[in-house]
Amino acid sequence: MVGRLEGKVALISGGASGIGAAHARVFAAEGAKVLIGDIQDEMGQGVADGIGVTNSGGQAAYTHLDVTSEKSWAEAVNKAVNMYGRLTTLINNAGIAIIGGVGAQSQEGWDKTIAVNQSGVWYGMKTAIPEMLKAGGGAVVNISSVYGIIGSPDMIAYHASKGAVRLMSKAAALEYAGQGIRVNSVHPGIIDTPIMKSALTSGPEAELFMDSIKGKTPLGRFGKPEEIAYGSLYLCSDEAAFVTGAELVIDGGWTAQ
Ligand SMILES: NC(=O)c1ccc[n+]([C@@H]2O[C@H](COP(=O)([O-])OP(=O)(O)OC[C@H]3O[C@@H](n4cnc5c(N)ncnc54)[C@H](O)[C@@H]3O)[C@@H](O)[C@H]2O)c1
């Protein structure tokens, strides 16, 4: 059986958990050869082992990747090319969320958020795109957030980083449009993963807050990680050959209001 990503080789950052792990499973099921990169080595290896080789000829492996280090990115990109012969697809998914508004955000929280969510996306594109050019073209999906489009009162660093990812994607899309590389951003609403729980359950009124978020979502529930991966699947497939510099919102209708 062939898949929608047959012939593609994908590097997925933050693939040990949540949305990134869902990308690895969906992409391999659709025929892609996948390299998962993360700092949670045991979990990441477990995701890759669970995928193995798929019916459509996809497969998955794991490598240690700290997205805040350009050197670590270079090693992961080399590993993907050495293993699979080329690189066509990059999912910049690794991310962290640290609660804190303008006054409350610590310097450490700010620096770490920008390093992972924003600089990590730049390093990823900087190291992967040259290999994608050698492969004759490719697609990048940068995972932003609805919080890269709208504000909230208590996550200043996260908003700064995710807003940056949205515009970095458009800038890179324009830079590489003539060279066969498409770059798009995906903007999840509230998705049921560990990051959401760590961010939203840290305050005293966490449950009320979770309910209020659910209440803001017209479809009336949190999203599932796979529902984000299916959006990226389209953007990384040849079906999206005319799509670049776009932002795909997958939020149950939250930002339509
Ligand atoms: N869950 C949501 O509600 C939601 C909403 C909007 C956007 N997002 C975005 O989706 C992406 C995935 O988040 P998730 O919900 O799956 O969270 P998650 O916590 O389940 O997964 C994030 C992964 O990133 C990895 N990571 C963190 N720092 C890293 C680093 N320095 N190098 C490499 N990997 C690192 C973690 O180890 C983890 O495996 C993030 O960019 C997040 O901001 C999530």
Side-chain angles (χ1 to χ4, degrees), residues 17 19 38 40 65-67 93 144 158 162 188-189 191 193-195:
S17 171
I19 293 170
D38 206 296
Q40 301 195 74
L65 165 63
D66 178 352
V67 297
N93 162 81
S144 175
Y158 191 77
K162 292 299 185 178
I191 312 302
T193 70
I195 202 179

Side-chain angles (χ1 to χ4, degrees), residues 22 27 30 34 72 75 83 145 179 185 189 211 229:
F27 277 38
E30 289 294 340
V34 170
S72 185
E75 287 165 4
M83 279 187 74
S145 168
Q179 297 171 78
S185 57
D211 283 348

Side-chain angles (χ1 to χ4, degrees), residues 67-68 73 92 114-125 168:
V67 297
T68 66
W73 267 112
N92 268 315
I114 299 300
V116 175
N117 295 5
Q118 183 174 338
S119 304
V121 168
W122 174 45
Y123 295 145
M125 292 195 289
M168 284 159 65

Side-chain angles (χ1 to χ4, degrees), residues 53-117:
V53 177
T54 66
N55 290 339
S56 54
Q59 65 187 82
Y62 174 79
T63 193
H64 183 85
L65 165 63
D66 178 352
V67 297
T68 66
S69 157
E70 193 174 346
K71 182 169 169 280
S72 185
W73 267 112
E75 287 165 4
V77 167
N78 279 340
K79 185 160 178 186
V81 173
N82 288 337
M83 279 187 74
Y84 300 133
R86 63 208 195 106
L87 183 65
T88 63
T89 309
L90 172 66
I91 308 293
N92 268 315
N93 162 81
I96 56 171
I98 299 175
I99 293 275
V102 173
Q105 182 63 255
S106 67
Q107 183 68 46
E108 194 194 356
W110 173 273
D111 291 344
K112 194 166 176 206
T113 304
I114 299 300
V116 175
N117 295 5

Side-chain angles (χ1 to χ4, degrees), residues 5 10 12 14-36 43-61 91 192-194 224-227 229-230 233:
L5 297 179
I12 300 173
S17 171
I19 293 170
H23 275 76
R25 287 190 287 267
V26 167
F27 277 38
E30 289 294 340
K33 296 193 171 14
V34 170
L35 184 61
I36 296 164
M43 275 174 63
Q45 189 62 56
V47 174
D49 291 346
I51 293 169
V53 177
T54 66
N55 290 339
S56 54
Q59 65 187 82
I91 308 293
D192 194 0
T193 70
K224 300 173 194 151
E226 287 71 21
E227 291 171 328
Y230 286 128
L233 165 62

